[in-house]
Amino acid sequence: MKKRSSPPPVDGGIGSESLLHASQHTMAVNEFKFINERPVDDISLNFFYKPHTITLLAVSIFGVMYFAFVRNESNIQENIWAGMLCVIFFFLIISVLAFPNGPFTRPHPVVWRMLFGLSVLYLMLLQFLMFQDYKSIMGIIYWFDPKLQDFHIDMERQYAANCSDMSFERIWSHVDVFAWGHFLGWAFKAVLIRHMGILWAISVMWEITEITFAHLLPNFAECWWDALILDVLVCNGFGIWCGLKICKLLEMREYKWASIRDISSTTGKLKRAVLQFTPESWAPVRWLDPKVTYMRFLAVCQLVLLWQLTELNTFFLKHIFEMPPSHPVVIGRLVFVGLFTAPSVRQYYIYVTDTRCKRLGTQCWVYIAILVSEAILCIKNGKELFERTQTKNIVVWLIIQAVLSVLFVYGCMLWHRYVEEDDSRDGSPVKQPSRTFKDSAVVSGDSKGSKGGNGGSPSSAKNSPKSTPTKKARSQPAKPVTHPHSSREHLD
């Protein structure tokens, strides 16, 4: 007699609920993996993506053994330097082996893993300095660079002197290397954020921050024409415009990557090698939808406030620990923060706009921890500086910042709703509930796959999440996919 099988569970039964829960969990894992451990698609040169852990271990050990036995150990300061460099070297090696890729894979995931390793080292350094007194911290700084003992922060250039002189020579004298750095910085911010309303909110609110703390930081004191014309309109405005133009050009570009092996000419191979340092794809970004939820509204407001803290930490660290603006430590920190901001903003954007992504990206988490640690370090060691101001002024500044951030973001939301309604809906990130990783190694946490090293096998292009489709693709009808905890924007 044939054994009768049990009937399949009906909709709403226990079996369907368990399957639905498993499907939701898989999609959440996939979304997090996409921004935290993104695999490399279409690998053509397998050598650069295959694991070489044994070779790396052997080279590292023999290299350290050689320098440990051969170098001269008579100078104690050089010995300490060599030991610290060796610690950093091995930590970066471990970063390459163990840390996630992040949301970017160009020019190579190793670059972003090492950058993440440097951010962890910097966070650990901040935690160590947080438990030292000011004299000990300055002693460490003077040990690294004894020349800083002859520098005092009062030696910095004053910008608020003789503001009535508005001659062409006077205005042109303010267009120095810092003005060009100001312009390049805002162009870079525009490429990262890609939203004119949020960028102008940060720009205007930063000028208010400079006015509030001008009595504490002398370089914040500027003439009105310097702050409004040179800073807001010229440097900030032109930088934002150029950055958004670059984003528009990258959005219009057609990304068809050919393998370097398939290119016959030497010039073509060199061009392809240079293009490896450009983005793999460029999807349009939409922070605010016409029918945005209040959680995303608050998250964008939080982004504006965090950016103010990022800028403020730069000036307070330089002022409290007395370093000139051209010092390598100051410039190196600016470059490091700028590079590490790129994957952090991308992870924050996915976390804010995609409700299936339930976890904040690791790099964004470390970045926020660095911001808070820097602020604590400044407050702890700048007691004498902050005693010059009143608590009432700080409270008023915080209220103004919070109110302006809400007003700016709400204004952007109204603009998208009533002025650019159609374009805003078309440019919003399309949710893809069907996005899955077929490679079980990627879902379980091993993005290296079986053949592709740290980027998965060459077939990972079929298993990895696709980028946001173009407008033409989005205009085609698709089958609706329902999700119990998603909103209407989850329908693809």
Side-chain angles (χ1 to χ4, degrees), residues 109-122:
V110 167
V111 176
W112 300 103
R113 292 180 181 182
M114 294 178 67
L115 183 65
F116 185 37
L118 289 176
S119 67
V120 174
L121 279 176
Y122 182 57

Side-chain angles (χ1 to χ4, degrees), residues 446-474:
D446 183 9
S447 68
K448 296 177 177 56
S450 58
K451 294 182 180 180
N454 54 15
S457 62
S459 62
S460 60
K462 301 179 181 179
N463 306 330
S464 61
K466 308 301 181 198
S467 58
T468 306
T470 59
K471 295 182 179 180
K472 183 177 180 181
R474 288 198 298 267

Side-chain angles (χ1 to χ4, degrees), residues 259-281:
S259 173
I260 196 170
R261 292 179 175 178
D262 300 333
I263 302 175
S264 57
S265 63
T266 305
T267 305
K269 289 181 180 293
L270 292 176
K271 182 179 179 181
R272 177 61 181 83
V274 174
L275 289 176
Q276 183 67 22
F277 294 87
T278 61
E280 181 187 15
S281 61

Side-chain angles (χ1 to χ4, degrees), residues 1-19:
M1 191 173 179
K2 201 171 186 179
K3 186 178 281 188
R4 186 172 58 182
S5 59
S6 59
V10 296
D11 292 342
I14 300 177
S16 62
E17 290 182 357
S18 61
L19 291 175

Side-chain angles (χ1 to χ4, degrees), residues 209-223:
T209 301
E210 287 189 341
I211 296 174
T212 304
F213 293 96
H215 64 289
L216 300 180
L217 303 176
N219 55 340
F220 277 5
E222 299 174 333
C223 297

Side-chain angles (χ1 to χ4, degrees), residues 135-334:
K135 185 177 180 180
S136 300
I137 296 177
M138 295 307 299
I140 296 173
I141 294 176
Y142 294 153
W143 182 85
F144 278 100
D145 189 359
K147 297 180 181 179
L148 289 176
Q149 300 184 37
D150 301 327
F151 175 80
H152 298 286
I153 202 64
D154 297 334
M155 299 179 182
E156 283 193 300
R157 177 181 175 181
Q158 300 293 329
Y159 290 91
N162 195 13
C163 293
S164 59
D165 183 9
M166 297 179 58
S167 60
F168 177 79
E169 292 78 8
R170 174 71 188 284
I171 296 177
W172 183 254
S173 64
H174 282 67
V175 185
D176 50 11
V177 64
F178 301 107
W180 286 104
H182 208 172
F183 161 74
L184 294 176
W186 277 98
F188 182 70
K189 295 170 189 175
V191 172
L192 293 182
I193 298 179
R194 312 180 206 173
H195 191 284
M196 181 175 292
I198 298 177
L199 290 167
W200 276 106
I202 296 174
S203 175
V204 174
M205 291 171 61
W206 175 247
E207 294 302 322
I208 298 176
T209 301
E210 287 189 341
I211 296 174
T212 304
F213 293 96
H215 64 289
L216 300 180
L217 303 176
N219 55 340
F220 277 5
E222 299 174 333
C223 297
W224 66 268
W225 47 266
D226 190 4
L228 295 179
I229 299 177
L230 291 181
D231 284 352
V232 177
L233 297 180
V234 177
C235 294
N236 299 7
F238 191 56
I240 292 173
W241 183 83
C242 291
L244 294 179
K245 280 295 181 182
I246 294 174
C247 295
K248 185 63 67 176
L249 293 175
L250 292 174
E251 287 181 14
M252 296 172 61
R253 176 187 170 189
E254 186 177 2
Y255 292 86
K256 290 185 178 180
W257 296 103
S259 173
I260 196 170
R261 292 179 175 178
D262 300 333
I263 302 175
S264 57
S265 63
T266 305
T267 305
K269 289 181 180 293
L270 292 176
K271 182 179 179 181
R272 177 61 181 83
V274 174
L275 289 176
Q276 183 67 22
F277 294 87
T278 61
E280 181 187 15
S281 61
W282 195 273
V285 167
R286 182 66 64 185
W287 287 91
L288 298 170
D289 287 327
K291 295 183 179 180
V292 64
T293 60
Y294 73 94
M295 288 302 296
R296 189 193 295 193
F297 178 85
L298 295 178
V300 176
C301 295
Q302 186 180 22
L303 172 69
V304 176
L305 296 176
L306 286 176
W307 211 280
Q308 299 291 311
L309 182 62
T310 303
E311 302 281 357
L312 204 57
N313 286 343
T314 301
F315 291 93
F316 272 114
L317 286 172
K318 176 178 64 70
H319 184 87
I320 293 174
F321 300 105
E322 294 192 319
M323 292 185 182
S326 58
H327 194 271
V329 173
V330 178
I331 298 177
R333 180 194 169 275
L334 286 176

